[in-house]
Amino acid sequence: MRSATREALASTRAVLADLGDAVQLGTGVEILAAGRAIAGAPQLLGLLADPTADVVGKKAVIDRVFGGQSDATRAVLTAVAGSRWSSQQDLLAGIEDAGIRAVARTASAETSIEAELFTFETAVRSDAALELALGTKLGSPAEKGALVQRLVGSKVSPQTTAILEHLVQQPRGRRIGEIVRDASRIVADQAGKVVATVITATPLSDGQAARVARGIAERYGKDVSVNQVVDPTVVGGVRVQVGGDVIDGTVSTRLSELRLQLAG
């Protein structure tokens, strides 16, 4: 991530945080919808991402185009427009980041959006036809959003539904698994946590899962949301992935390394 975008993200997140209780679920939904609208309007996107354009003029455009949205939504969009982004795609990613964070802030303490997103991703990954239907460039965004509604129904929180509907409508060139994992990391970060995918040959017991979670939390200095994946091919041991970090202590990996050493 380039420095301009890092600063823009920090500025936008600060504005969102300062809005406090003004941020409701509808705020996040509006921000995400605004991002899709901006992505579909090349001239508007070009203006908002232009670092040389007048900031006051950008704010006037935001007020004119999104005048029907809440004050909180316009405040976030104005912060986005007033920041310097490294590219148009970074600006769209920044709006998505703000929208997902706004949605996540409204979930109850008992709701685990990360777990619900992981369950959805797992279901899609296990069904090639469903993955194609959600990932194809041929289907309309509205149809994909409606498909998500039919799939999840009342099985997940309104927050997770809102995030998933947005993701399938605006993938921005990413595969469905990637966009869901990206969203899960944003949700976890908003809550001061990291997401860890733990892969084992057999399901972990509650005690084992707790020990793994404690170890990850100590390593990263944050609370952790653990997604468990059972994969018999790892034979034994544990593989942990946190973002781009992979800690691999599986038997299958050690055997592969031994074979390479013997072959050498």
Side-chain angles (χ1 to χ4, degrees), residues 227-246:
N227 295 326
Q228 291 191 44
V229 175
V230 175
D231 181 0
T233 65
V234 304
V235 184
V238 180
R239 178 185 298 130
V240 177
Q241 181 167 356
V242 180
D245 297 341
V246 178

Side-chain angles (χ1 to χ4, degrees), residues 198 204 207-217 224 226 238 240:
V198 178
L204 296 174
Q208 290 172 324
R211 286 194 295 274
V212 170
R214 281 198 301 272
I216 299 170
V224 60
V226 175
V238 180
V240 177

Side-chain angles (χ1 to χ4, degrees), residues 40-52:
Q43 286 186 319
L44 177 58
L45 175 58
L47 171 66
L48 297 180
D50 184 356
T52 66

